[in-house]
Amino acid sequence: MKQVLIVDKDHVFTTTLSAILSREDYKVSIAKDGKEASGALASTVFDLVITDMIMPYANGFELVSNIRNNESALHIPVMVVSDVTNEQNIAHCMRAGADVYFTKPVNIPDLISGIKDLIRNQKNVAA
Amino acid sequence: MWLHNANTHAYLSVWGSFPFFIKICFAISVVALAGILFAMTSIIAKKLAKKKEEQRSGLITERINEMLLSAVVMQQREDTGIITKKDFDIRPLYTLGLSAKKVKKILVNEMLNYRNYFSGTIADRVRRLYISMSLHEEAYARLYKGNWEIKVNALSELYKMGVETDHAYLLELLNNNDRYIREFARLSLMKFTKRDPLQFLRELNEPISQWEEFEIFLLFQQKNDFTLGSLEGLISLDKEPTVVSLCLQLAVYFRQWESVPLILELIQTPDLKLRAEAITALGKLEATDSAKYLIAIYPGQAHVIQLKILATLGMIRSGSYLRFLENEFISSQDFEIKKYASDAIIKLYPLSKITIDKLMGNAEALNQKILNHSLNPLLNTL
């Protein structure tokens, strides 16, 4: 079972997405901010991280940079799902190492196919 | 009894012996102390009541989310019109200590959250549920109330839920004294009317707020099968600058190259902010033909505009004006000009490969540092 970490401060978003992904046979963990996410990443090996951009303590950009600078987490695909639509911020985030960027409101079938693609590609790279 | 009377007499005689101003001070102190005690008690009581209400609303929010999750998200049936008032009974929640009005308010807020985060089937199911529970009718009723805040909230709720409002009434609200009401009425009309949404911008004679600019932009982005019409008369020197700024963004987003001549004309505006935005729009549109004009006007421009021109030449990526950028980089004494010229040269890679190699080989220490800085993708300002 693939493990997914959802990092978002909003309860409605995390519980809904978690329920949808659980239905799709993913094991989901939730972190409220970048700091909690770093803790989870240190203790568990995830197959995917889905993160928001604007969060307390460490924002999405910092989290992506931390993942890409951490040798043990370097391979984990990162998907950003945020309501920040500013193209400079998106470019900044992609340059920091995010693999894909979705803007809220997000369409669930698109999101799920994005998740599947990312996990499949990661598996291919690892192989 | 005798003793009590004797004590009272003793107190009164002591009190009577005090000077008048002491008596006044004492009375004032007693009143102040009583006032403080009363205020403290009421503050504590209010805080406790608020905490209790927060706990109750937290519990109700949790229940509502569970209900929404099972009715809207986990619902496997494709038919989005299936959820009815019967399937989604919130009456048991009225017994949890909050009024029906407050419970409905929490429900609407959570529904709006769902629509903010999810599009497609989930958003559509939430909208259908909202309508089947007649919550839109309650919002309509609030729309006709006198208080501006109630009106704005009702307009906002209906707009975000994607529920149409009476057009005649919205047209009436376009002339309302309150700016927020006018903004929401305009947005609702743009969203639901079949009329060309640009027409509203043409008729607009007042500045639009950043928030409205953002919402209008989103609206255009999300309109299905929408083709942006001509922006003639909108990207114009005579038009309200905030409207022009929005139209520049629309031209870029919809890749409307027909607007390039209008944008070039706009560069004559005395408004530096708007001129800078126009130049940036040319860069984002990669309007190759405009590069020659930008270089021609470059010497007489303000510093901030010169920086925008340099950045735009990097975005246009024609490579025809590489020599101009190289000259600015080497000969200018201004650090920012050097930096922007260097960023533009790097942006023109691979067209600028020979120039970059040449500059890296011959440039003095400061110029080399600037070039290295520009070569770092995390630091490049363009």
Side-chain angles (χ1 to χ4, degrees), chain A residues 65-98:
Chain A
S65 305
N66 289 345
I67 291 174
R68 291 295 169 251
N69 292 324
N70 178 352
E71 215 166 292
S72 60
L74 184 67
H75 65 283
I76 303 174
V78 179
M79 172 186 274
V80 180
V81 184
S82 168
D83 46 13
V84 177
T85 53
N86 179 306
E87 60 189 56
Q88 268 181 329
N89 279 327
I90 297 174
H92 200 45
C93 203
M94 298 303 280
R95 278 203 297 254

PDB file of all heavy atoms in Angstrom, chain A residues 65-98:
ATOM      1  N   SER A  65      12.007  22.649  -0.573  1.00  0.00           N
ATOM      2  CA  SER A  65      13.471  22.798  -0.555  1.00  0.00           C
ATOM      3  C   SER A  65      14.100  21.823   0.434  1.00  0.00           C
ATOM      4  O   SER A  65      15.122  21.209   0.130  1.00  0.00           O
ATOM      5  CB  SER A  65      13.865  24.220  -0.160  1.00  0.00           C
ATOM      6  OG  SER A  65      13.251  25.123  -1.001  1.00  0.00           O
ATOM      7  N   ASN A  66      13.468  21.684   1.625  1.00  0.00           N
ATOM      8  CA  ASN A  66      14.007  20.761   2.629  1.00  0.00           C
ATOM      9  C   ASN A  66      14.027  19.323   2.110  1.00  0.00           C
ATOM     10  O   ASN A  66      14.996  18.601   2.324  1.00  0.00           O
ATOM     11  CB  ASN A  66      13.177  20.797   3.921  1.00  0.00           C
ATOM     12  CG  ASN A  66      13.385  22.086   4.680  1.00  0.00           C
ATOM     13  OD1 ASN A  66      14.335  22.818   4.390  1.00  0.00           O
ATOM     14  ND2 ASN A  66      12.496  22.390   5.605  1.00  0.00           N
ATOM     15  N   ILE A  67      12.934  18.941   1.440  1.00  0.00           N
ATOM     16  CA  ILE A  67      12.866  17.568   0.908  1.00  0.00           C
ATOM     17  C   ILE A  67      13.964  17.355  -0.126  1.00  0.00           C
ATOM     18  O   ILE A  67      14.661  16.345  -0.122  1.00  0.00           O
ATOM     19  CB  ILE A  67      11.460  17.284   0.303  1.00  0.00           C
ATOM     20  CG1 ILE A  67      10.416  17.237   1.421  1.00  0.00           C
ATOM     21  CG2 ILE A  67      11.447  15.980  -0.498  1.00  0.00           C
ATOM     22  CD1 ILE A  67       8.980  17.118   0.955  1.00  0.00           C
ATOM     23  N   ARG A  68      14.138  18.356  -1.002  1.00  0.00           N
ATOM     24  CA  ARG A  68      15.142  18.199  -2.062  1.00  0.00           C
ATOM     25  C   ARG A  68      16.586  18.282  -1.535  1.00  0.00           C
ATOM     26  O   ARG A  68      17.515  17.852  -2.205  1.00  0.00           O
ATOM     27  CB  ARG A  68      14.913  19.266  -3.151  1.00  0.00           C
ATOM     28  CG  ARG A  68      13.639  19.040  -3.941  1.00  0.00           C
ATOM     29  CD  ARG A  68      13.669  17.746  -4.756  1.00  0.00           C
ATOM     30  NE  ARG A  68      12.365  17.404  -5.317  1.00  0.00           N
ATOM     31  CZ  ARG A  68      11.604  16.394  -4.918  1.00  0.00           C
ATOM     32  NH1 ARG A  68      12.033  15.581  -3.962  1.00  0.00           N
ATOM     33  NH2 ARG A  68      10.433  16.144  -5.457  1.00  0.00           N
ATOM     34  N   ASN A  69      16.743  18.859  -0.347  1.00  0.00           N
ATOM     35  CA  ASN A  69      18.088  18.921   0.220  1.00  0.00           C
ATOM     36  C   ASN A  69      18.367  17.795   1.208  1.00  0.00           C
ATOM     37  O   ASN A  69      19.428  17.745   1.818  1.00  0.00           O
ATOM     38  CB  ASN A  69      18.304  20.268   0.936  1.00  0.00           C
ATOM     39  CG  ASN A  69      18.331  21.404  -0.062  1.00  0.00           C
ATOM     40  OD1 ASN A  69      18.836  21.240  -1.165  1.00  0.00           O
ATOM     41  ND2 ASN A  69      17.754  22.540   0.298  1.00  0.00           N
ATOM     42  N   ASN A  70      17.375  16.924   1.380  1.00  0.00           N
ATOM     43  CA  ASN A  70      17.534  15.823   2.323  1.00  0.00           C
ATOM     44  C   ASN A  70      17.758  14.523   1.540  1.00  0.00           C
ATOM     45  O   ASN A  70      16.884  14.093   0.780  1.00  0.00           O
ATOM     46  CB  ASN A  70      16.248  15.738   3.172  1.00  0.00           C
ATOM     47  CG  ASN A  70      16.268  14.599   4.144  1.00  0.00           C
ATOM     48  OD1 ASN A  70      17.154  13.745   4.128  1.00  0.00           O
ATOM     49  ND2 ASN A  70      15.273  14.580   5.010  1.00  0.00           N
ATOM     50  N   GLU A  71      18.915  13.929   1.715  1.00  0.00           N
ATOM     51  CA  GLU A  71      19.283  12.781   0.892  1.00  0.00           C
ATOM     52  C   GLU A  71      18.296  11.612   0.995  1.00  0.00           C
ATOM     53  O   GLU A  71      17.990  10.956   0.008  1.00  0.00           O
ATOM     54  CB  GLU A  71      20.683  12.312   1.264  1.00  0.00           C
ATOM     55  CG  GLU A  71      21.448  11.801   0.053  1.00  0.00           C
ATOM     56  CD  GLU A  71      22.911  11.659   0.364  1.00  0.00           C
ATOM     57  OE1 GLU A  71      23.584  12.691   0.557  1.00  0.00           O
ATOM     58  OE2 GLU A  71      23.346  10.515   0.434  1.00  0.00           O
ATOM     59  N   SER A  72      17.762  11.411   2.215  1.00  0.00           N
ATOM     60  CA  SER A  72      16.869  10.260   2.387  1.00  0.00           C
ATOM     61  C   SER A  72      15.476  10.524   1.795  1.00  0.00           C
ATOM     62  O   SER A  72      14.724   9.576   1.534  1.00  0.00           O
ATOM     63  CB  SER A  72      16.745   9.907   3.868  1.00  0.00           C
ATOM     64  OG  SER A  72      16.218  10.999   4.559  1.00  0.00           O
ATOM     65  N   ALA A  73      15.118  11.811   1.601  1.00  0.00           N
ATOM     66  CA  ALA A  73      13.772  12.116   1.085  1.00  0.00           C
ATOM     67  C   ALA A  73      13.814  12.647  -0.349  1.00  0.00           C
ATOM     68  O   ALA A  73      12.765  12.868  -0.962  1.00  0.00           O
ATOM     69  CB  ALA A  73      13.108  13.140   1.992  1.00  0.00           C
ATOM     70  N   LEU A  74      15.016  12.816  -0.863  1.00  0.00           N
ATOM     71  CA  LEU A  74      15.252  13.419  -2.179  1.00  0.00           C
ATOM     72  C   LEU A  74      14.401  12.814  -3.304  1.00  0.00           C
ATOM     73  O   LEU A  74      13.920  13.519  -4.192  1.00  0.00           O
ATOM     74  CB  LEU A  74      16.739  13.233  -2.489  1.00  0.00           C
ATOM     75  CG  LEU A  74      17.324  13.833  -3.740  1.00  0.00           C
ATOM     76  CD1 LEU A  74      17.308  15.341  -3.638  1.00  0.00           C
ATOM     77  CD2 LEU A  74      18.771  13.366  -3.893  1.00  0.00           C
ATOM     78  N   HIS A  75      14.172  11.504  -3.236  1.00  0.00           N
ATOM     79  CA  HIS A  75      13.477  10.790  -4.312  1.00  0.00           C
ATOM     80  C   HIS A  75      11.961  10.941  -4.245  1.00  0.00           C
ATOM     81  O   HIS A  75      11.264  10.563  -5.182  1.00  0.00           O
ATOM     82  CB  HIS A  75      13.841   9.303  -4.227  1.00  0.00           C
ATOM     83  CG  HIS A  75      13.327   8.691  -2.958  1.00  0.00           C
ATOM     84  ND1 HIS A  75      13.949   8.896  -1.740  1.00  0.00           N
ATOM     85  CD2 HIS A  75      12.230   7.948  -2.705  1.00  0.00           C
ATOM     86  CE1 HIS A  75      13.251   8.267  -0.798  1.00  0.00           C
ATOM     87  NE2 HIS A  75      12.209   7.696  -1.359  1.00  0.00           N
ATOM     88  N   ILE A  76      11.423  11.462  -3.135  1.00  0.00           N
ATOM     89  CA  ILE A  76       9.961  11.485  -2.959  1.00  0.00           C
ATOM     90  C   ILE A  76       9.337  12.537  -3.895  1.00  0.00           C
ATOM     91  O   ILE A  76       9.725  13.707  -3.865  1.00  0.00           O
ATOM     92  CB  ILE A  76       9.570  11.811  -1.495  1.00  0.00           C
ATOM     93  CG1 ILE A  76      10.212  10.812  -0.546  1.00  0.00           C
ATOM     94  CG2 ILE A  76       8.060  11.852  -1.324  1.00  0.00           C
ATOM     95  CD1 ILE A  76       9.997  11.127   0.924  1.00  0.00           C
ATOM     96  N   PRO A  77       8.372  12.136  -4.718  1.00  0.00           N
ATOM     97  CA  PRO A  77       7.718  13.133  -5.559  1.00  0.00           C
ATOM     98  C   PRO A  77       6.892  14.104  -4.706  1.00  0.00           C
ATOM     99  O   PRO A  77       6.303  13.692  -3.710  1.00  0.00           O
ATOM    100  CB  PRO A  77       6.803  12.319  -6.477  1.00  0.00           C
ATOM    101  CG  PRO A  77       6.981  10.906  -6.127  1.00  0.00           C
ATOM    102  CD  PRO A  77       7.841  10.786  -4.923  1.00  0.00           C
ATOM    103  N   VAL A  78       6.893  15.376  -5.106  1.00  0.00           N
ATOM    104  CA  VAL A  78       6.142  16.378  -4.337  1.00  0.00           C
ATOM    105  C   VAL A  78       5.114  17.049  -5.247  1.00  0.00           C
ATOM    106  O   VAL A  78       5.439  17.545  -6.322  1.00  0.00           O
ATOM    107  CB  VAL A  78       7.080  17.453  -3.748  1.00  0.00           C
ATOM    108  CG1 VAL A  78       6.281  18.496  -2.963  1.00  0.00           C
ATOM    109  CG2 VAL A  78       8.131  16.830  -2.853  1.00  0.00           C
ATOM    110  N   MET A  79       3.878  17.029  -4.769  1.00  0.00           N
ATOM    111  CA  MET A  79       2.794  17.691  -5.499  1.00  0.00           C
ATOM    112  C   MET A  79       2.332  18.881  -4.656  1.00  0.00           C
ATOM    113  O   MET A  79       2.071  18.717  -3.464  1.00  0.00           O
ATOM    114  CB  MET A  79       1.648  16.691  -5.679  1.00  0.00           C
ATOM    115  CG  MET A  79       0.389  17.287  -6.244  1.00  0.00           C
ATOM    116  SD  MET A  79      -0.941  16.074  -6.241  1.00  0.00           S
ATOM    117  CE  MET A  79      -0.643  15.257  -7.788  1.00  0.00           C
ATOM    118  N   VAL A  80       2.267  20.063  -5.264  1.00  0.00           N
ATOM    119  CA  VAL A  80       1.779  21.231  -4.524  1.00  0.00           C
ATOM    120  C   VAL A  80       0.330  21.478  -4.929  1.00  0.00           C
ATOM    121  O   VAL A  80       0.016  21.527  -6.117  1.00  0.00           O
ATOM    122  CB  VAL A  80       2.652  22.476  -4.801  1.00  0.00           C
ATOM    123  CG1 VAL A  80       2.143  23.675  -4.033  1.00  0.00           C
ATOM    124  CG2 VAL A  80       4.097  22.203  -4.447  1.00  0.00           C
ATOM    125  N   VAL A  81      -0.551  21.594  -3.933  1.00  0.00           N
ATOM    126  CA  VAL A  81      -1.955  21.927  -4.192  1.00  0.00           C
ATOM    127  C   VAL A  81      -2.255  23.173  -3.374  1.00  0.00           C
ATOM    128  O   VAL A  81      -2.298  23.128  -2.153  1.00  0.00           O
ATOM    129  CB  VAL A  81      -2.911  20.786  -3.784  1.00  0.00           C
ATOM    130  CG1 VAL A  81      -4.333  21.138  -4.156  1.00  0.00           C
ATOM    131  CG2 VAL A  81      -2.514  19.487  -4.451  1.00  0.00           C
ATOM    132  N   SER A  82      -2.402  24.291  -4.073  1.00  0.00           N
ATOM    133  CA  SER A  82      -2.504  25.546  -3.342  1.00  0.00           C
ATOM    134  C   SER A  82      -3.464  26.504  -4.027  1.00  0.00           C
ATOM    135  O   SER A  82      -3.764  26.358  -5.212  1.00  0.00           O
ATOM    136  CB  SER A  82      -1.108  26.177  -3.282  1.00  0.00           C
ATOM    137  OG  SER A  82      -1.185  27.482  -2.829  1.00  0.00           O
ATOM    138  N   ASP A  83      -3.939  27.506  -3.263  1.00  0.00           N
ATOM    139  CA  ASP A  83      -4.771  28.529  -3.907  1.00  0.00           C
ATOM    140  C   ASP A  83      -3.923  29.705  -4.396  1.00  0.00           C
ATOM    141  O   ASP A  83      -4.454  30.696  -4.881  1.00  0.00           O
ATOM    142  CB  ASP A  83      -5.918  28.989  -2.991  1.00  0.00           C
ATOM    143  CG  ASP A  83      -5.473  29.263  -1.588  1.00  0.00           C
ATOM    144  OD1 ASP A  83      -4.254  29.346  -1.362  1.00  0.00           O
ATOM    145  OD2 ASP A  83      -6.336  29.372  -0.703  1.00  0.00           O
ATOM    146  N   VAL A  84      -2.615  29.589  -4.282  1.00  0.00           N
ATOM    147  CA  VAL A  84      -1.725  30.639  -4.806  1.00  0.00           C
ATOM    148  C   VAL A  84      -1.634  30.444  -6.321  1.00  0.00           C
ATOM    149  O   VAL A  84      -1.150  29.415  -6.790  1.00  0.00           O
ATOM    150  CB  VAL A  84      -0.314  30.536  -4.171  1.00  0.00           C
ATOM    151  CG1 VAL A  84       0.617  31.561  -4.761  1.00  0.00           C
ATOM    152  CG2 VAL A  84      -0.403  30.701  -2.669  1.00  0.00           C
ATOM    153  N   THR A  85      -2.129  31.443  -7.069  1.00  0.00           N
ATOM    154  CA  THR A  85      -2.156  31.277  -8.525  1.00  0.00           C
ATOM    155  C   THR A  85      -1.106  32.141  -9.225  1.00  0.00           C
ATOM    156  O   THR A  85      -0.979  32.086 -10.439  1.00  0.00           O
ATOM    157  CB  THR A  85      -3.543  31.648  -9.091  1.00  0.00           C
ATOM    158  OG1 THR A  85      -3.861  32.955  -8.618  1.00  0.00           O
ATOM    159  CG2 THR A  85      -4.598  30.677  -8.655  1.00  0.00           C
ATOM    160  N   ASN A  86      -0.374  32.925  -8.438  1.00  0.00           N
ATOM    161  CA  ASN A  86       0.638  33.817  -8.998  1.00  0.00           C
ATOM    162  C   ASN A  86       1.723  33.005  -9.716  1.00  0.00           C
ATOM    163  O   ASN A  86       2.343  32.125  -9.119  1.00  0.00           O
ATOM    164  CB  ASN A  86       1.224  34.613  -7.822  1.00  0.00           C
ATOM    165  CG  ASN A  86       2.287  35.561  -8.237  1.00  0.00           C
ATOM    166  OD1 ASN A  86       3.260  35.182  -8.877  1.00  0.00           O
ATOM    167  ND2 ASN A  86       2.110  36.806  -7.888  1.00  0.00           N
ATOM    168  N   GLU A  87       1.927  33.322 -10.996  1.00  0.00           N
ATOM    169  CA  GLU A  87       2.835  32.474 -11.793  1.00  0.00           C
ATOM    170  C   GLU A  87       4.278  32.520 -11.302  1.00  0.00           C
ATOM    171  O   GLU A  87       5.009  31.531 -11.432  1.00  0.00           O
ATOM    172  CB  GLU A  87       2.752  32.834 -13.283  1.00  0.00           C
ATOM    173  CG  GLU A  87       3.119  34.246 -13.614  1.00  0.00           C
ATOM    174  CD  GLU A  87       2.807  34.578 -15.073  1.00  0.00           C
ATOM    175  OE1 GLU A  87       1.643  34.410 -15.468  1.00  0.00           O
ATOM    176  OE2 GLU A  87       3.726  35.004 -15.774  1.00  0.00           O
ATOM    177  N   GLN A  88       4.679  33.660 -10.701  1.00  0.00           N
ATOM    178  CA  GLN A  88       6.054  33.744 -10.178  1.00  0.00           C
ATOM    179  C   GLN A  88       6.250  32.772  -9.019  1.00  0.00           C
ATOM    180  O   GLN A  88       7.273  32.103  -8.917  1.00  0.00           O
ATOM    181  CB  GLN A  88       6.347  35.159  -9.706  1.00  0.00           C
ATOM    182  CG  GLN A  88       6.967  35.996 -10.810  1.00  0.00           C
ATOM    183  CD  GLN A  88       7.285  37.389 -10.337  1.00  0.00           C
ATOM    184  OE1 GLN A  88       6.591  37.928  -9.479  1.00  0.00           O
ATOM    185  NE2 GLN A  88       8.320  37.976 -10.896  1.00  0.00           N
ATOM    186  N   ASN A  89       5.218  32.711  -8.149  1.00  0.00           N
ATOM    187  CA  ASN A  89       5.295  31.782  -7.015  1.00  0.00           C
ATOM    188  C   ASN A  89       5.325  30.343  -7.491  1.00  0.00           C
ATOM    189  O   ASN A  89       6.046  29.514  -6.938  1.00  0.00           O
ATOM    190  CB  ASN A  89       4.096  31.976  -6.078  1.00  0.00           C
ATOM    191  CG  ASN A  89       4.304  33.134  -5.147  1.00  0.00           C
ATOM    192  OD1 ASN A  89       5.418  33.414  -4.742  1.00  0.00           O
ATOM    193  ND2 ASN A  89       3.234  33.836  -4.838  1.00  0.00           N
ATOM    194  N   ILE A  90       4.521  30.070  -8.519  1.00  0.00           N
ATOM    195  CA  ILE A  90       4.472  28.699  -9.047  1.00  0.00           C
ATOM    196  C   ILE A  90       5.850  28.330  -9.614  1.00  0.00           C
ATOM    197  O   ILE A  90       6.394  27.266  -9.305  1.00  0.00           O
ATOM    198  CB  ILE A  90       3.365  28.556 -10.122  1.00  0.00           C
ATOM    199  CG1 ILE A  90       1.996  28.806  -9.493  1.00  0.00           C
ATOM    200  CG2 ILE A  90       3.407  27.174 -10.777  1.00  0.00           C
ATOM    201  CD1 ILE A  90       0.831  28.831 -10.454  1.00  0.00           C
ATOM    202  N   ALA A  91       6.419  29.266 -10.407  1.00  0.00           N
ATOM    203  CA  ALA A  91       7.736  29.003 -11.009  1.00  0.00           C
ATOM    204  C   ALA A  91       8.787  28.796  -9.919  1.00  0.00           C
ATOM    205  O   ALA A  91       9.633  27.899 -10.006  1.00  0.00           O
ATOM    206  CB  ALA A  91       8.125  30.158 -11.913  1.00  0.00           C
ATOM    207  N   HIS A  92       8.719  29.621  -8.883  1.00  0.00           N
ATOM    208  CA  HIS A  92       9.648  29.561  -7.756  1.00  0.00           C
ATOM    209  C   HIS A  92       9.585  28.178  -7.104  1.00  0.00           C
ATOM    210  O   HIS A  92      10.599  27.559  -6.803  1.00  0.00           O
ATOM    211  CB  HIS A  92       9.222  30.645  -6.770  1.00  0.00           C
ATOM    212  CG  HIS A  92      10.277  31.054  -5.804  1.00  0.00           C
ATOM    213  ND1 HIS A  92      11.566  31.303  -6.178  1.00  0.00           N
ATOM    214  CD2 HIS A  92      10.221  31.255  -4.474  1.00  0.00           C
ATOM    215  CE1 HIS A  92      12.259  31.638  -5.112  1.00  0.00           C
ATOM    216  NE2 HIS A  92      11.466  31.612  -4.059  1.00  0.00           N
ATOM    217  N   CYS A  93       8.347  27.710  -6.919  1.00  0.00           N
ATOM    218  CA  CYS A  93       8.113  26.430  -6.266  1.00  0.00           C
ATOM    219  C   CYS A  93       8.614  25.273  -7.132  1.00  0.00           C
ATOM    220  O   CYS A  93       9.208  24.323  -6.621  1.00  0.00           O
ATOM    221  CB  CYS A  93       6.609  26.306  -6.041  1.00  0.00           C
ATOM    222  SG  CYS A  93       6.197  25.196  -4.764  1.00  0.00           S
ATOM    223  N   MET A  94       8.384  25.381  -8.440  1.00  0.00           N
ATOM    224  CA  MET A  94       8.835  24.318  -9.347  1.00  0.00           C
ATOM    225  C   MET A  94      10.363  24.283  -9.397  1.00  0.00           C
ATOM    226  O   MET A  94      10.963  23.219  -9.444  1.00  0.00           O
ATOM    227  CB  MET A  94       8.275  24.528 -10.764  1.00  0.00           C
ATOM    228  CG  MET A  94       6.763  24.483 -10.866  1.00  0.00           C
ATOM    229  SD  MET A  94       6.015  22.975 -10.275  1.00  0.00           S
ATOM    230  CE  MET A  94       6.279  21.908 -11.660  1.00  0.00           C
ATOM    231  N   ARG A  95      10.969  25.490  -9.377  1.00  0.00           N
ATOM    232  CA  ARG A  95      12.437  25.541  -9.401  1.00  0.00           C
ATOM    233  C   ARG A  95      13.022  24.926  -8.135  1.00  0.00           C
ATOM    234  O   ARG A  95      14.108  24.349  -8.147  1.00  0.00           O
ATOM    235  CB  ARG A  95      12.916  26.998  -9.551  1.00  0.00           C
ATOM    236  CG  ARG A  95      12.903  27.476 -11.001  1.00  0.00           C
ATOM    237  CD  ARG A  95      13.858  28.631 -11.173  1.00  0.00           C
ATOM    238  NE  ARG A  95      13.461  29.781 -10.374  1.00  0.00           N
ATOM    239  CZ  ARG A  95      12.911  30.877 -10.870  1.00  0.00           C
ATOM    240  NH1 ARG A  95      12.711  30.986 -12.156  1.00  0.00           N
ATOM    241  NH2 ARG A  95      12.586  31.881 -10.098  1.00  0.00           N
ATOM    242  N   ALA A  96      12.265  25.069  -7.029  1.00  0.00           N
ATOM    243  CA  ALA A  96      12.768  24.503  -5.765  1.00  0.00           C
ATOM    244  C   ALA A  96      12.694  22.984  -5.751  1.00  0.00           C
ATOM    245  O   ALA A  96      13.305  22.343  -4.899  1.00  0.00           O
ATOM    246  CB  ALA A  96      11.969  25.069  -4.597  1.00  0.00           C
ATOM    247  N   GLY A  97      11.909  22.412  -6.689  1.00  0.00           N
ATOM    248  CA  GLY A  97      11.903  20.944  -6.772  1.00  0.00           C
ATOM    249  C   GLY A  97      10.547  20.281  -6.739  1.00  0.00           C
ATOM    250  O   GLY A  97      10.483  19.052  -6.689  1.00  0.00           O
ATOM    251  N   ALA A  98       9.457  21.074  -6.771  1.00  0.00           N
ATOM    252  CA  ALA A  98       8.134  20.437  -6.807  1.00  0.00           C
ATOM    253  C   ALA A  98       7.963  19.754  -8.166  1.00  0.00           C
ATOM    254  O   ALA A  98       8.484  20.233  -9.172  1.00  0.00           O
ATOM    255  CB  ALA A  98       7.041  21.476  -6.605  1.00  0.00           C
TER     256      ALA A  98
END
